Amino acid sequence: MESPVVLTIAGAVARLTLNRADKHNAFDDEIIALLISKLEEVKTQNEVRVLVLQSTGKSFSAGADLNWMKRMATLSYEQNMDDARQLALLMHTLNTLPIPTIVKVQGASFGGAIGLISCCDIAIASDKAKFCLSEVKLGLSPATIGPYVVQAVGARRCRQLFLTAELFNAEQAADWGLVHKLVASEQLEQEVDSTINQILQSGPSASKATKTLIADIERGLDQPAEHTAELIARLRVSEEGQAGLTAFFEKQSAPWIKQ
């Protein structure tokens, strides 16, 4: 039996795939645990410089698995707290992964799937993709994914999307900041590959430091001038920074760029 979550690594690129097309890649507690485990594994692979989150089949993900939801409804508050903490941990782990992340959205993305999209650095979607945050219709709330979706599209837009649970299309998702790039379905993989190649032109340490910088700025810096000055000074004198600057001035390719 094929695993519902597959991690493949080829050189500098890791691909984490939801592999449950027959269930529209809906996830449950087992899949959440597998995703967390695979993300932790990626952290240990020093050669990996970018992660692509993707799925098989027509849908990106239908969000929570119905059988999982039925089972959780029969359990205690304490058991539901433990379960919800795991989903929150998944979102945090993906959101704070040190390397750049790309999410490839080929189709329908509902509920928690929008949380996964919001936690990735770059979202590339088919122009046929559909989206919905439908939790309130079930008497629930997009709670654990809420901080990340609000961060992605803004609180005012989330008032509309969370409270109406309305379906929205790929163009709206792009207009509102959930998705960065829209392409025709047949061009989706090509666009993902192009974005991977763009990321791989950057210094590996510089990419990580820059991702950390963005998170630090969002949290708020006590001394932003000092913090940012220290960062650029440290990178300038680092081995990677010195190599990158030398290559630029000598009109050569940086050593991390594969020829």
Side-chain angles (χ1 to χ4, degrees), residues 24-25 55-62 104-110 113-114 117 124-132 168 170 179 185 188:
H24 298 280
N25 298 304
S55 61
T56 56
K58 293 183 178 180
S59 299
F60 174 66
S61 173
K104 174 185 173 185
V105 183
Q106 80 276 26
S109 305
F110 294 161
I114 296 181
I117 294 168
I124 304 173
S126 161
D127 56 9
K128 303 300 182 186
K130 301 289 184 182
F131 305 84
C132 184
F168 56 102
V179 168
S185 297
L188 189 55

Side-chain angles (χ1 to χ4, degrees), residues 7 11 51 65 119 140 165 176 203 243 247:
L7 174 65
L51 171 79
D65 178 83
C119 288
L140 303 174
W176 299 337

Side-chain angles (χ1 to χ4, degrees), residues 14-210:
R15 289 181 181 260
L16 184 57
T17 306
L18 287 165
N19 186 37
R20 206 178 179 216
D22 59 321
K23 299 292 185 181
H24 298 280
N25 298 304
F27 48 80
D28 57 15
D29 49 351
E30 177 191 358
I31 291 172
I32 289 169
L34 282 170
L35 286 168
I36 294 170
S37 174
K38 298 300 184 184
L39 288 170
E40 291 295 341
E41 182 180 342
V42 168
K43 288 183 185 180
T44 69
Q45 305 298 312
N46 293 330
E47 77 278 11
V48 174
R49 296 189 50 205
V50 59
L51 171 79
V52 178
L53 177 62
Q54 58 188 22
S55 61
T56 56
K58 293 183 178 180
S59 299
F60 174 66
S61 173
D65 178 83
L66 294 179
N67 289 327
W68 175 45
M69 293 173 65
K70 287 179 184 177
R71 177 159 45 89
M72 297 314 300
T74 67
L75 300 182
S76 68
Y77 168 81
E78 289 75 17
Q79 289 169 313
N80 271 277
M81 274 294 294
D82 290 340
D83 185 79
R85 286 189 180 110
Q86 281 297 102
L87 180 58
L89 177 60
L90 169 60
M91 297 298 159
H92 174 76
T93 304
L94 178 58
N95 191 62
T96 59
L97 201 72
I99 60 174
T101 54
I102 301 168
V103 60
K104 174 185 173 185
V105 183
Q106 80 276 26
S109 305
F110 294 161
I114 296 181
L116 294 174
I117 294 168
S118 299
C119 288
C120 289
D121 300 320
I122 301 168
I124 304 173
S126 161
D127 56 9
K128 303 300 182 186
K130 301 289 184 182
F131 305 84
C132 184
L133 290 143
S134 56
E135 286 86 347
V136 292
K137 287 187 175 180
L138 304 175
L140 303 174
S141 173
T144 50
I145 68 171
Y148 308 102
V149 184
V150 170
Q151 190 176 52
V153 306
R156 190 77 169 91
R157 182 62 64 188
C158 283
R159 293 188 192 187
Q160 173 197 0
L161 299 178
F162 287 10
L163 298 174
T164 65
E166 66 183 64
L167 187 71
F168 56 102
N169 61 33
E171 185 175 352
Q172 290 169 309
D175 287 344
W176 299 337
L178 179 64
V179 168
H180 300 104
K181 296 181 180 181
L182 290 184
V183 295
S185 297
E186 60 272 17
Q187 296 175 332
L188 189 55
E189 185 60 33
Q190 179 181 342
E191 187 63 39
V192 169
D193 286 343
S194 176
T195 303
I196 290 170
N197 289 334
Q198 288 176 319
I199 289 171
L200 295 182
Q201 302 302 302
S202 305
S205 296
S207 288
K208 291 180 179 180
T210 300

